[in-house]
Structure formats: C-alpha cells, structure tokens
Amino acid sequence: MGVKTFQKLIHHWKILRGDNVMIMSGKDRGETGIIKRVVRSQNRVIVEGKNLVKKHIKQGQGHEGGIFSVEAPLHVSNVQVLDPVTGKPCKVGTRYLEDGTKVRVSRGLGASGSIIPRREILKIRTTPRPTVAGPKDTPMDLVLEQTYDAKTGKGMPDL
C-alpha cells in the first residue's frame, strides 16, 4: 500500500447531498443513484446503494460481528449530476434569475440548460442545532446590552 498524495480540496462544490448522479467510472459505471453524504475533507461522495464493499466487523460488547456490505466513498470526479429534463449526465453551472436568486443549471453537450432543483433534504441538518442554552452560552440580556454609543463616544476605552 502506497502513501496517498496530497489532493487539492474543492472550495466551490457543485454536487450536493440529495442530487441524482450517474457513476462515470468504477465497478458501478453507468448506474444512477442519489448522493447520501458528501465528505468535503476528502473530495468524496457516498452514493446510496452503490460501490458496496464487504466489511469484516469483530464482535464486541453490545453488537454482533460478521461480514457486512457497506457503501464506500467515490471520488467526486467519478460522478456527474443528471440533467432533470434529458436524464443524461451533465456539468453544473450557476445562473441568477430575474429576481436575483442564484440557481444551478445543467450545461455541457446535450444538456437542456434547465434548472437543477435544490432537494428538500438540504433543509434538514445532519446535526441539529441546540435549542437550549448551554453553560458556556452568553445570556441574551448581556448580548442585547448596548455598551457603546457612537454619537457621544460613551464606552470608548481610555488609551
């Protein structure tokens, strides 16, 4: 096993969780699926029910062992988003509508140029935000307290 070389991380992701994609290379080439998870730190995505590998898990306290099939991550360059109109793989571009909203559109050869919709799953957070203030949170009365007045200069430190 060799050492993996450093990869440049993608800063502007065009593939999102819930997108319908086609796998372009590998053992599941040509198959389509929905993106289950995006691993941005490794430039990889996990497609639902694809790229299955056998995982040997040792029996431990509280769980059984055995051989399980799990979904392995694919590199993001090996998947392409499907055009919602033609159903063919396409590249993803961005456009601004007349009202100023930013949308993703399909582009490339044979692409329809239609809007790629944002999935409802993106509105659901994987880790929910806390609703109750914790012990290290600042109380709301201290947050809303006005400590500086720009007109009178009240609250300026003496330097």
Side-chain angles (χ1 to χ4, degrees), residues 22-137:
M22 180 179 278
I23 298 172
M24 303 310 287
S25 65
K27 64 181 180 182
D28 292 327
R29 179 182 178 166
E31 295 183 18
T32 61
I34 296 174
I35 291 189
K36 185 178 179 180
R37 186 170 166 226
V38 176
V39 186
R40 293 183 182 221
S41 62
Q42 299 175 357
N43 289 344
R44 294 183 178 271
V45 294
I46 296 176
V47 182
E48 222 172 85
K50 307 297 179 207
N51 199 28
L52 295 174
V53 294
K54 299 285 186 183
K55 184 116 174 143
H56 296 256
I57 301 201
K58 191 175 182 182
Q59 183 177 0
Q61 191 174 9
H63 62 81
E64 274 192 42
I67 302 171
F68 300 101
S69 290
V70 293
E71 299 148 341
L74 288 162
H75 196 268
V76 74
S77 64
N78 295 332
V79 297
Q80 266 192 322
V81 176
L82 290 178
D83 191 327
V85 175
T86 61
K88 294 182 179 177
C90 65
K91 294 179 180 178
V92 178
T94 55
R95 295 261 162 79
Y96 290 93
L97 298 177
E98 288 79 25
D99 61 347
T101 56
K102 186 177 179 180
V103 294
R104 298 186 304 154
V105 294
S106 60
R107 64 179 192 84
L109 290 174
S112 64
S114 61
I115 294 174
I116 300 170
R118 284 182 65 88
R119 306 292 174 195
E120 292 296 320
I121 195 167
L122 290 174
K123 295 178 182 173
I124 303 166
R125 293 180 60 92
T126 53
T127 54
R129 288 189 175 138
T131 55
V132 179
K136 295 187 177 182
D137 290 335

